[in-house]
Amino acid sequence: MLRTAPRLLRTICTSAAAYQHKLKLALIGQSIFGQEVYNKLRKEGHKVVGVFTVPDKNGQADPLALAAEKDGTPVFKFPKWRAKGKPIQEVVAAYKSVGAELNVLPFCTQFIPMDVIDCPKHGSIIYHPSILPRHRGASAINWTLIQGDKKAGFTIFWADDGLDTGPILLQRECDVGQNDTVDDLYNRFLFPEGVKAMVEAVHLIADGKAPRIPQPKEGATYEGIQKKENAEISWDQPAAALHNWIRGHDKVPGAWTTINGQVVTFYGSSLLDASVPAGQELTIKGASRPGLVTKNGLVIFGNDGKMVLVRNLQFEDGKMIPASKYFSTDETTALELTEEEKMIAEDIRAIWKGILSNVAVIEDSTDFFKSGASSMHVVRMLEEIKQKHSGLQLQNEDVYMATKFADFIQMAVRKLRGEDKEEELVIDYVSKNMNNMTVNMPYQCFINGKFIDADDGKTYDTINPADGSVIASVSSASLADVDKAVAAAKEAFENGEWRRMNARERGRLMYRLADLMEEHQEELATIESIDSGAVYTLALKTHIGMSVQTFRYFAGWCDKIQGATIPINQARPNHNLTFTKKEPIGVCAIIIPWNYPLMMLAWKSAACLAAGNTLVLKPAQVTPLTSLKFAELSAKAGFPKGVINILPGSGGLVGQHLSEHPDVRKVGFTGSTPTGKQIMKSANLKKVSLELGGKSPLIIFSDCELDRAVKMGMGAVYFNKGENCIAAGRLFVEESIHDEFVRKVVEEIKKMKIGDPLDRSTDHGPQNHKAHLEKLLQYCETGVKEGATLVYGGRQVCRPGFFMEPTVFTDVEDHMYIAQEESFGPVMVISKFKNGDIDGVLQRANATEYGLASGVFTKDINKALYISEKLEAGTVFINTYNKTDVAAPFGGFKLSGFGKDLGKLSPSLISCLRVLINEKSNAWVQCI
């Protein structure tokens, strides 16, 4: 009841209309927190009759005093309220003179006599930053972290003569993140929610609705004030305890140890769940194992062998450095400032003087913190600098790393000049003027955040299928490049910024990447068109448009991947908690096909990144260019190095080595069934998802809407030149409408414009590459030899490039090659079935080793649902075709593969998923 009662009260009492009465208040306390509570209470209409705060420090008034003095509220600055354990009568008398009805103590470091606490009509309420009765005392937030609590929070309680023991008015709690610091908890929850709760508590008291819930004795703890002298690190502890100790003292008072005879304070710790990184050993007094100075910081070890990463170190003289620079002996040469930079330095000097009003002159040697500034002044200083010089973006950490004025100016100028930035992304482009724009195309491997040539220098030409010309010579990745890319992805996953990034920040990067893809959609669509032969309008809408949608969809999933608690039978008297967590698995190898180069990249990689994995992606050898452009945009979006790696080149070499690589934890592949089988053999018990071949049946009944069936049937076959994994590989048309259906199809084909894919009026572009065109022509020859009737097409178009006529075969019997094998091109294969023979056509439709997609056209909903239930395919389209959406899982049965793309991030929980699509109602029915 202790925690639930305040929540219930909050539910019924937070609307503005619920609070009717106002009080006369005395605010006793200090700090920005006190100032915010004061401002909010006055805004709500309560009258603050007096503010009692601490005396000015180093000539600076407390923020609460400043706000009250500005409003004309009486302010009293007593150095103390008691002398020799007794109240100072003059102080008490001054307090009583204001006539307060309630004392509000938002943050108070002074001892207030009970004469004052009990004086008002309603007594006194106090804010305490813990879930009482746990962590009574002055360092409650620190101890919440030091003791590894999973929940933090605050309590507003009625003051009594004990130490944080009074009855509870209300409480709030929040989760504690694995790497949260005191500042994180305070800024994210304890400060903003605490201010709101203090105001709410006053409202409840004013309306006579405030509870007084006695604190339970069970779970009560009291811890003393944490000071520098008792913040030394004790090394004989597990890594988690070391991490909690360090973060529990970050930033004040700072956990410290002795290194080379000097006290060194640790800041910015995080648990490191990875293999031991390379680094230089550093002996630490009392530690049983040396630390490691790595490129990411100082790695220290618990007595359980697990690791903690420390980012920053501070020495006795106050100087703070990145821990990764501990052994660095380079002395940075002082910059010579330009006249403009000197003016900025003087502006900053004036800002320092405004904050450090007790310092007569701001010298180069003036130390910000030793001169009396605190953490709240850091925020003020940075905001004032931002107001005057918006181009100078500084972080809190920058102030702690350069506390002396001269060092701070040097740091600020380096930032202003951009000298502190990471090495700028260098890209060699192949540039072409086409489609009314200049298209810039990277052509090198993208490994660890850089575009580089293949290790052995090999390249190959990628060809424009519209005319057979060379677009670019692209780097052809070697085995050494695969090893580099996997190592970069592994390092990024185990030790890099990506691993430490919270889920919402990952989502923010993915949204930013989607925005950049949308900004560059015309350029991406143009590249996709010339590299794959896709008609530009289709590339813009589907190839690129759905890629953008996919990244936005999965960006929204980043912070919604959840585990579950599981009720289990308890072995009395024990009581156990069982729960599941969903965690990223590591490096994912993604191998994609050439029909939808960017869209397949998005389908495979967006979910991978949303879950926190890193990836090495191999685009199809013949269509690498949009993948490499994507790599450029991912770097511009801010993805850390190593998270995304792109390796153009041979599938037999690069793809095979990726599937075998011991550091790859999952392989995702879209392509042919024979290659999928080879990947399964090579995967060495890795997780694998495969989207393979298809021979999707489309059944058209005589009771369909014929014109619609013709239109949709043509789209089912000729969409994207037939280079479509779910293309209707075989049409079964009911006998009574067969001839009319074929006639209408041929009429529509004759209206199609075949030509330049960049021409907005083009309906049908070139096949992807020459070898594929030759394979399709051979496919048609086989159909004719076996006795099928070639009604239309079957030939190469007489023009430059790899164009093929849309083709129609009829009289196709079940034993024929073209009835059983996928063409993956613009070839409509039509078989007739007897009127009313539903079960017979179903048997023929399912007589294939594939099961990716299927479809049915009929006005009879009962027939449609019966057919859809019996068809053995991952997706069944009803009176529509080619309708996919990022929210619906996609994948096949039988030799069409396993695993799902798109949709909810936990498809592995579903053993067999079928998607039914009814366009009329737009209902997506999932049958498990």
Side-chain angles (χ1 to χ4, degrees):
M1 292 300 295
L2 177 61
R3 296 180 194 171
T4 56
R7 287 179 183 157
L8 289 171
L9 280 167
R10 184 171 195 174
T11 302
I12 63 174
C13 296
T14 51
S15 66
Y19 301 120
Q20 303 295 330
H21 303 95
K22 307 302 177 186
L23 295 176
K24 292 190 290 183
L25 309 174
L27 254 71
I28 304 174
Q30 62 209 72
S31 79
I32 293 177
F33 183 76
Q35 180 190 59
E36 283 297 302
V37 171
Y38 165 83
N39 288 332
K40 289 287 194 300
L41 286 170
R42 291 187 77 250
K43 186 177 180 180
E44 291 291 319
H46 297 285
K47 182 174 178 60
V48 179
V49 293
V51 165
F52 299 84
T53 187
V54 294
D56 295 355
K57 182 179 179 181
N58 296 323
Q60 296 183 48
D62 183 82
L64 175 57
L66 288 172
E69 288 168 347
K70 181 180 178 182
D71 295 333
T73 300
V75 176
F76 302 84
K77 301 178 182 180
F78 301 132
K80 55 185 178 179
W81 293 69
R82 301 187 304 177
K84 297 181 180 180
K86 294 184 179 181
I88 301 172
Q89 292 306 314
E90 294 84 353
V91 172
V92 174
Y95 161 77
K96 289 182 177 180
S97 69
V98 301
E101 297 173 316
L102 173 69
N103 291 333
V104 178
L105 285 72
F107 175 72
C108 183
T109 59
Q110 297 176 311
F111 286 100
I112 310 301
M114 290 306 297
D115 301 44
V116 173
I117 293 295
D118 293 336
C119 180
K121 171 184 175 182
H122 297 291
S124 302
I125 58 171
I126 303 176
Y127 170 92
H128 185 79
S130 80
I131 306 170
L132 290 175
R134 189 164 173 79
H135 303 311
R136 293 169 176 161
S139 296
I141 315 177
N142 304 76
W143 285 105
T144 297
L145 295 175
I146 291 168
Q147 296 194 355
D149 293 0
K150 300 301 181 185
K151 295 285 185 181
F154 59 80
T155 304
I156 297 172
F157 67 96
W158 299 93
D160 64 4
D161 58 358
L163 187 58
D164 304 330
T165 57
I168 293 171
L169 195 161
L170 60 78
Q171 289 184 321
R172 301 284 182 268
E173 66 178 38
C174 68
D175 292 331
V176 178
Q178 180 176 275
N179 295 318
D180 277 344
T181 64
V182 172
D183 281 353
D184 292 332
L185 288 176
Y186 187 70
N187 293 329
R188 185 179 75 237
F189 184 80
L190 299 176
F191 183 102
E193 294 303 316
V195 171
K196 295 176 189 175
M198 286 297 286
V199 175
E200 181 182 347
V202 172
H203 284 322
L204 290 170
I205 294 168
D207 286 353
K209 297 177 180 179
R212 291 176 181 261
I213 304 170
Q215 291 192 33
K217 294 180 180 179
E218 183 182 352
T221 64
Y222 172 81
E223 296 90 10
I225 297 174
Q226 280 306 94
K227 298 180 179 179
K228 192 72 175 182
E229 55 266 27
N230 56 17
E232 183 177 5
I233 299 169
S234 174
W235 288 100
D236 190 18
Q237 301 183 81
L242 292 176
H243 168 55
N244 289 337
W245 185 261
I246 295 167
R247 67 177 179 146
H249 292 84
D250 188 340
K251 293 284 189 295
V252 178
W256 59 274
T257 190
T258 303
I259 301 175
N260 293 328
Q262 183 176 185
V263 171
V264 179
T265 305
F266 288 5
Y267 295 108
S269 71
S270 57
L271 290 171
L272 186 58
D273 181 15
S275 56
V276 178
Q280 187 173 349
E281 289 191 350
L282 176 64
T283 301
I284 302 172
K285 182 181 177 181
S288 60
R289 183 174 176 179
L292 287 175
V293 177
T294 73
K295 63 181 181 180
N296 294 314
L298 172 64
V299 174
I300 56 177
F301 298 87
N303 61 11
D304 55 357
K306 295 182 179 179
M307 296 176 288
V308 176
L309 180 68
V310 178
R311 291 194 298 276
N312 298 314
L313 305 175
Q314 188 175 42
F315 299 101
E316 291 175 345
D317 63 358
K319 183 180 180 182
M320 187 180 286
I321 64 166
S324 59
K325 304 293 185 185
Y326 182 85
F327 288 114
S328 176
T329 57
D330 297 337
E331 289 294 331
T332 304
T333 305
L335 299 175
E336 185 174 342
L337 306 190
T338 65
E339 289 304 314
E340 183 180 358
E341 290 165 349
K342 288 177 183 177
M343 292 174 64
I344 293 172
E346 289 308 309
D347 287 342
I348 296 175
R349 192 187 301 273
I351 292 170
W352 277 45
K353 183 68 180 75
I355 295 171
L356 306 175
S357 56
N358 56 307
V359 179
V361 179
I362 304 297
E363 306 281 358
D364 284 354
S365 59
T366 299
D367 187 288
F368 191 67
F369 296 107
K370 290 181 179 178
S371 298
S374 63
S375 58
M376 68 180 183
H377 296 115
V378 172
V379 177
R380 173 184 164 185
M381 188 241 289
L382 296 183
E383 288 300 315
E384 288 191 36
I385 292 174
K386 190 188 299 183
Q387 279 185 334
K388 281 185 171 288
H389 302 284
S390 58
L392 182 53
Q393 298 295 316
L394 301 174
Q395 307 298 322
N396 290 10
E397 203 71 20
D398 296 325
V399 185
Y400 292 104
M401 300 290 277
T403 61
K404 293 182 179 178
F405 182 75
D407 295 338
F408 185 83
I409 293 300
Q410 291 283 309
M411 176 275 299
V413 170
R414 289 184 194 280
K415 280 188 172 289
L416 199 60
R417 294 180 181 181
E419 293 180 12
D420 68 313
K421 292 182 180 177
E422 290 188 5
E423 184 180 343
E424 209 168 300
L425 183 65
V426 177
I427 310 174
D428 286 336
Y429 291 117
V430 169
S431 297
K432 292 186 179 293
N433 293 315
M434 57 176 58
N435 206 19
N436 300 315
M437 69 182 78
T438 299
V439 178
N440 296 314
M441 296 169 283
Y443 58 86
Q444 298 166 293
C445 301
F446 185 71
I447 301 174
N448 202 24
K450 295 181 180 180
F451 284 101
I452 58 174
D453 291 331
D455 186 74
D456 57 10
K458 288 185 178 179
T459 63
Y460 69 94
D461 292 340
T462 184
I463 305 298
N464 184 343
D467 58 14
S469 64
V470 175
I471 306 170
S473 289
V474 178
S475 294
S476 184
S478 66
L479 296 181
D481 294 311
V482 175
D483 291 337
K484 288 179 191 175
V486 172
K490 183 182 180 186
E491 175 68 16
F493 179 76
E494 293 184 346
N495 301 314
E497 179 187 353
W498 185 249
R499 182 63 182 247
R500 298 189 298 272
M501 188 179 293
N502 66 55
R504 209 158 286 172
E505 179 67 12
R506 280 204 309 275
R508 189 179 64 83
L509 285 180
M510 291 182 67
Y511 278 122
R512 187 185 300 165
L513 177 55
D515 290 344
L516 283 171
M517 291 166 69
E518 190 169 57
E519 285 178 28
H520 290 262
Q521 61 183 338
E522 288 87 0
E523 185 179 20
L524 286 165
T526 302
I527 297 172
E528 191 97 333
S529 186
I530 65 171
D531 205 24
S532 75
V535 172
Y536 175 77
T537 50
L538 176 65
L540 191 63
K541 178 182 181 294
T542 301
H543 291 229
I544 313 307
M546 195 171 187
S547 301
V548 173
Q549 290 176 27
T550 303
F551 268 91
R552 287 189 175 140
Y553 175 79
F554 281 108
W557 267 109
C558 286
D559 60 355
K560 300 172 185 68
I561 305 171
Q562 300 173 347
T565 55
I566 303 171
I568 62 172
N569 289 333
Q570 303 293 346
R572 297 179 180 177
N574 297 324
H575 291 277
N576 301 310
L577 172 66
T578 302
F579 63 92
T580 60
K581 291 176 65 179
K582 293 184 180 178
E583 299 178 341
I585 58 176
V587 180
C588 298
I590 296 174
I591 305 168
I592 58 173
W594 41 258
N595 57 328
Y596 296 101
L598 189 64
M599 194 171 81
M600 291 297 100
L601 177 154
W603 281 26
K604 295 289 186 189
S605 64
C608 165
L609 294 169
N613 299 295
T614 57
L615 63 90
V616 180
L617 183 139
K618 195 204 86 64
Q621 186 168 3
V622 292
T623 54
L625 296 180
T626 42
S627 294
L628 294 170
K629 189 69 179 181
F630 168 85
E632 175 193 342
L633 298 179
S634 73
K636 290 180 177 178
F639 276 78
K641 292 179 178 179
V643 174
I644 295 171
N645 305 271
I646 310 289
L647 297 178
S650 163
L653 183 73
V654 177
Q656 180 69 21
H657 193 39
L658 281 172
S659 65
E660 296 170 340
H661 202 291
D663 289 331
V664 170
R665 294 289 176 258
K666 178 171 182 179
V667 178
F669 171 75
T670 297
S672 71
T673 297
T675 304
K677 290 179 178 179
Q678 180 59 39
I679 286 174
M680 284 296 293
K681 290 179 182 178
S682 308
N684 299 325
L685 298 181
K686 294 176 174 66
K687 288 179 177 288
V688 177
S689 61
L690 303 173
E691 195 246 283
L692 306 175
K695 187 67 175 174
S696 301
L698 175 57
I699 304 173
I700 300 174
F701 287 95
S702 59
D703 63 351
C704 72
E705 186 180 325
L706 186 58
D707 288 341
R708 178 179 179 80
V710 168
K711 177 183 176 183
M712 289 288 181
M714 291 182 66
V717 176
Y718 302 128
F719 188 81
N720 200 47
K721 314 150 310 171
E723 295 168 355
N724 186 19
C725 52
I726 59 173
R730 191 175 182 193
L731 275 66
F732 294 92
V733 182
E734 198 161 11
E735 191 172 31
S736 61
I737 62 167
H738 174 273
D739 294 348
E740 185 180 3
F741 179 88
V742 173
R743 179 181 59 78
K744 285 178 174 285
V745 166
V746 172
E747 285 177 0
E748 292 301 317
I749 288 175
K750 291 177 179 177
K751 298 175 186 177
M752 292 172 66
K753 179 179 178 180
I754 302 173
D756 180 2
L758 293 178
D759 185 335
R760 303 316 192 257
S761 63
T762 295
D763 299 304
H764 191 79
Q767 304 311 133
N768 187 274
H769 51 281
K770 184 178 181 181
H772 183 55
L773 173 63
E774 292 171 350
K775 178 184 173 184
L776 287 171
L777 295 174
Q778 181 63 47
Y779 184 90
C780 292
E781 287 179 18
T782 301
V784 171
K785 286 178 182 177
E786 289 189 333
T789 302
L790 178 62
V791 176
Y792 192 89
R795 299 183 299 272
Q796 181 175 359
V797 177
C798 186
R799 58 171 293 159
F802 312 136
F803 292 86
M804 181 178 178
E805 294 176 339
T807 299
V808 179
F809 277 101
T810 61
D811 302 318
V812 178
E813 298 179 13
D814 295 349
H815 69 275
M816 293 180 178
Y817 178 83
I818 64 173
Q820 297 175 1
E821 295 299 325
E822 180 181 28
S823 70
F824 212 64
V827 182
M828 183 177 285
V829 176
I830 302 176
S831 296
K832 189 186 302 183
F833 70 95
K834 291 181 180 179
N835 294 333
D837 187 12
I838 296 175
D839 290 326
V841 75
L842 269 172
Q843 185 176 357
R844 296 172 70 191
N846 286 330
T848 172
E849 60 187 0
Y850 301 109
L852 188 57
S854 59
V856 57
F857 278 82
T858 176
K859 292 179 181 177
D860 185 338
I861 189 63
N862 292 323
K863 186 192 298 182
L865 291 176
Y866 177 78
I867 292 286
S868 66
E869 183 179 337
K870 298 295 183 181
L871 283 169
E872 298 169 358
T875 299
V876 181
F877 297 105
I878 301 174
N879 293 328
T880 187
Y881 210 88
N882 283 328
K883 173 59 181 173
T884 56
D885 188 90
V886 294
F890 179 92
F893 297 166
K894 299 190 284 189
L895 290 189
S896 288
F898 52 83
K900 303 292 179 184
D901 292 325
L902 306 179
K904 190 176 179 180
L905 277 178
S906 54
S908 59
L909 300 178
I910 301 172
S911 59
C912 184
L913 180 68
R914 187 192 303 264
V915 180
L916 306 181
I917 302 170
N918 183 330
E919 190 185 59
K920 184 176 181 181
S921 64
N922 290 321
W924 296 69
V925 183
Q926 297 181 353
C927 301
I928 300 172

mmCIF file of all heavy atoms in Angstrom, residues 564-580:
data_model
loop_
_atom_site.group_PDB
_atom_site.id
_atom_site.type_symbol
_atom_site.label_atom_id
_atom_site.label_comp_id
_atom_site.label_asym_id
_atom_site.label_seq_id
_atom_site.Cartn_x
_atom_site.Cartn_y
_atom_site.Cartn_z
ATOM 1 N N ALA A 564 9.761 -10.786 -21.400
ATOM 2 C CA ALA A 564 8.532 -11.126 -20.691
ATOM 3 C C ALA A 564 8.878 -11.770 -19.364
ATOM 4 O O ALA A 564 9.950 -12.362 -19.196
ATOM 5 C CB ALA A 564 7.683 -12.088 -21.530
ATOM 6 N N THR A 565 7.973 -11.633 -18.410
ATOM 7 C CA THR A 565 8.095 -12.385 -17.177
ATOM 8 C C THR A 565 7.269 -13.655 -17.315
ATOM 9 O O THR A 565 6.226 -13.664 -17.983
ATOM 10 C CB THR A 565 7.599 -11.576 -15.971
ATOM 11 O OG1 THR A 565 6.251 -11.141 -16.228
ATOM 12 C CG2 THR A 565 8.470 -10.358 -15.742
ATOM 13 N N ILE A 566 7.743 -14.731 -16.701
ATOM 14 C CA ILE A 566 7.130 -16.039 -16.888
ATOM 15 C C ILE A 566 6.748 -16.615 -15.525
ATOM 16 O O ILE A 566 7.622 -16.828 -14.677
ATOM 17 C CB ILE A 566 8.105 -16.991 -17.598
ATOM 18 C CG1 ILE A 566 8.559 -16.393 -18.938
ATOM 19 C CG2 ILE A 566 7.471 -18.366 -17.803
ATOM 20 C CD1 ILE A 566 9.678 -17.156 -19.592
ATOM 21 N N PRO A 567 5.472 -16.853 -15.298
ATOM 22 C CA PRO A 567 5.081 -17.494 -14.038
ATOM 23 C C PRO A 567 5.520 -18.950 -14.032
ATOM 24 O O PRO A 567 5.316 -19.672 -15.009
ATOM 25 C CB PRO A 567 3.552 -17.364 -14.040
ATOM 26 C CG PRO A 567 3.186 -17.224 -15.475
ATOM 27 C CD PRO A 567 4.317 -16.538 -16.160
ATOM 28 N N ILE A 568 6.162 -19.374 -12.964
ATOM 29 C CA ILE A 568 6.659 -20.745 -12.874
ATOM 30 C C ILE A 568 6.186 -21.380 -11.574
ATOM 31 O O ILE A 568 5.763 -20.683 -10.643
ATOM 32 C CB ILE A 568 8.196 -20.800 -12.941
ATOM 33 C CG1 ILE A 568 8.815 -20.032 -11.754
ATOM 34 C CG2 ILE A 568 8.708 -20.257 -14.251
ATOM 35 C CD1 ILE A 568 10.302 -20.199 -11.634
ATOM 36 N N ASN A 569 6.253 -22.690 -11.513
ATOM 37 C CA ASN A 569 5.959 -23.388 -10.271
ATOM 38 C C ASN A 569 7.085 -23.151 -9.279
ATOM 39 O O ASN A 569 8.260 -23.381 -9.606
ATOM 40 C CB ASN A 569 5.804 -24.889 -10.521
ATOM 41 C CG ASN A 569 4.532 -25.204 -11.281
ATOM 42 O OD1 ASN A 569 3.552 -24.461 -11.200
ATOM 43 N ND2 ASN A 569 4.530 -26.301 -12.016
ATOM 44 N N GLN A 570 6.749 -22.692 -8.100
ATOM 45 C CA GLN A 570 7.752 -22.395 -7.090
ATOM 46 C C GLN A 570 8.098 -23.664 -6.312
ATOM 47 O O GLN A 570 7.217 -24.450 -5.966
ATOM 48 C CB GLN A 570 7.247 -21.322 -6.126
ATOM 49 C CG GLN A 570 6.838 -20.027 -6.796
ATOM 50 C CD GLN A 570 8.013 -19.293 -7.411
ATOM 51 O OE1 GLN A 570 9.165 -19.620 -7.120
ATOM 52 N NE2 GLN A 570 7.737 -18.308 -8.253
ATOM 53 N N ALA A 571 9.389 -23.846 -6.060
ATOM 54 C CA ALA A 571 9.843 -24.935 -5.196
ATOM 55 C C ALA A 571 9.886 -24.396 -3.779
ATOM 56 O O ALA A 571 10.847 -23.738 -3.371
ATOM 57 C CB ALA A 571 11.220 -25.423 -5.636
ATOM 58 N N ARG A 572 8.807 -24.599 -3.061
ATOM 59 C CA ARG A 572 8.688 -23.993 -1.731
ATOM 60 C C ARG A 572 9.852 -24.410 -0.835
ATOM 61 O O ARG A 572 10.303 -25.549 -0.899
ATOM 62 C CB ARG A 572 7.353 -24.395 -1.099
ATOM 63 C CG ARG A 572 6.145 -23.884 -1.880
ATOM 64 C CD ARG A 572 4.848 -24.316 -1.233
ATOM 65 N NE ARG A 572 3.702 -23.818 -1.981
ATOM 66 C CZ ARG A 572 2.442 -24.104 -1.664
ATOM 67 N NH1 ARG A 572 2.174 -24.866 -0.604
ATOM 68 N NH2 ARG A 572 1.457 -23.617 -2.390
ATOM 69 N N PRO A 573 10.363 -23.521 0.040
ATOM 70 C CA PRO A 573 9.820 -22.178 0.315
ATOM 71 C C PRO A 573 10.389 -21.098 -0.598
ATOM 72 O O PRO A 573 10.233 -19.920 -0.340
ATOM 73 C CB PRO A 573 10.289 -21.944 1.761
ATOM 74 C CG PRO A 573 11.619 -22.646 1.803
ATOM 75 C CD PRO A 573 11.478 -23.863 0.937
ATOM 76 N N ASN A 574 11.134 -21.485 -1.637
ATOM 77 C CA ASN A 574 11.759 -20.492 -2.505
ATOM 78 C C ASN A 574 10.729 -19.792 -3.375
ATOM 79 O O ASN A 574 9.721 -20.372 -3.769
ATOM 80 C CB ASN A 574 12.796 -21.166 -3.398
ATOM 81 C CG ASN A 574 13.935 -21.772 -2.609
ATOM 82 O OD1 ASN A 574 14.334 -21.208 -1.598
ATOM 83 N ND2 ASN A 574 14.434 -22.906 -3.060
ATOM 84 N N HIS A 575 11.015 -18.540 -3.705
ATOM 85 C CA HIS A 575 10.190 -17.784 -4.650
ATOM 86 C C HIS A 575 11.125 -17.205 -5.701
ATOM 87 O O HIS A 575 12.019 -16.426 -5.385
ATOM 88 C CB HIS A 575 9.422 -16.668 -3.931
ATOM 89 C CG HIS A 575 8.355 -17.196 -3.019
ATOM 90 N ND1 HIS A 575 7.108 -17.557 -3.459
ATOM 91 C CD2 HIS A 575 8.386 -17.443 -1.690
ATOM 92 C CE1 HIS A 575 6.388 -17.990 -2.443
ATOM 93 N NE2 HIS A 575 7.144 -17.943 -1.354
ATOM 94 N N ASN A 576 10.933 -17.624 -6.938
ATOM 95 C CA ASN A 576 11.849 -17.247 -8.014
ATOM 96 C C ASN A 576 11.160 -16.359 -9.037
ATOM 97 O O ASN A 576 9.950 -16.462 -9.245
ATOM 98 C CB ASN A 576 12.366 -18.501 -8.721
ATOM 99 C CG ASN A 576 13.086 -19.428 -7.769
ATOM 100 O OD1 ASN A 576 13.953 -18.984 -7.034
ATOM 101 N ND2 ASN A 576 12.708 -20.698 -7.761
ATOM 102 N N LEU A 577 11.948 -15.506 -9.637
ATOM 103 C CA LEU A 577 11.470 -14.662 -10.731
ATOM 104 C C LEU A 577 12.125 -15.138 -12.018
ATOM 105 O O LEU A 577 13.352 -15.216 -12.103
ATOM 106 C CB LEU A 577 11.805 -13.190 -10.486
ATOM 107 C CG LEU A 577 11.531 -12.243 -11.652
ATOM 108 C CD1 LEU A 577 10.034 -12.159 -11.918
ATOM 109 C CD2 LEU A 577 12.094 -10.851 -11.361
ATOM 110 N N THR A 578 11.326 -15.470 -13.018
ATOM 111 C CA THR A 578 11.849 -15.910 -14.307
ATOM 112 C C THR A 578 11.424 -14.908 -15.369
ATOM 113 O O THR A 578 10.254 -14.554 -15.465
ATOM 114 C CB THR A 578 11.302 -17.298 -14.674
ATOM 115 O OG1 THR A 578 11.649 -18.210 -13.647
ATOM 116 C CG2 THR A 578 11.886 -17.784 -15.991
ATOM 117 N N PHE A 579 12.384 -14.430 -16.148
ATOM 118 C CA PHE A 579 12.052 -13.482 -17.196
ATOM 119 C C PHE A 579 12.965 -13.688 -18.391
ATOM 120 O O PHE A 579 14.030 -14.299 -18.287
ATOM 121 C CB PHE A 579 12.147 -12.033 -16.694
ATOM 122 C CG PHE A 579 13.520 -11.612 -16.254
ATOM 123 C CD1 PHE A 579 14.404 -11.013 -17.140
ATOM 124 C CD2 PHE A 579 13.940 -11.799 -14.947
ATOM 125 C CE1 PHE A 579 15.666 -10.619 -16.744
ATOM 126 C CE2 PHE A 579 15.197 -11.407 -14.533
ATOM 127 C CZ PHE A 579 16.077 -10.815 -15.441
ATOM 128 N N THR A 580 12.521 -13.205 -19.535
ATOM 129 C CA THR A 580 13.312 -13.289 -20.755
ATOM 130 C C THR A 580 13.747 -11.891 -21.183
ATOM 131 O O THR A 580 13.051 -10.916 -20.916
ATOM 132 C CB THR A 580 12.516 -13.919 -21.910
ATOM 133 O OG1 THR A 580 11.363 -13.118 -22.170
ATOM 134 C CG2 THR A 580 12.081 -15.325 -21.562
#
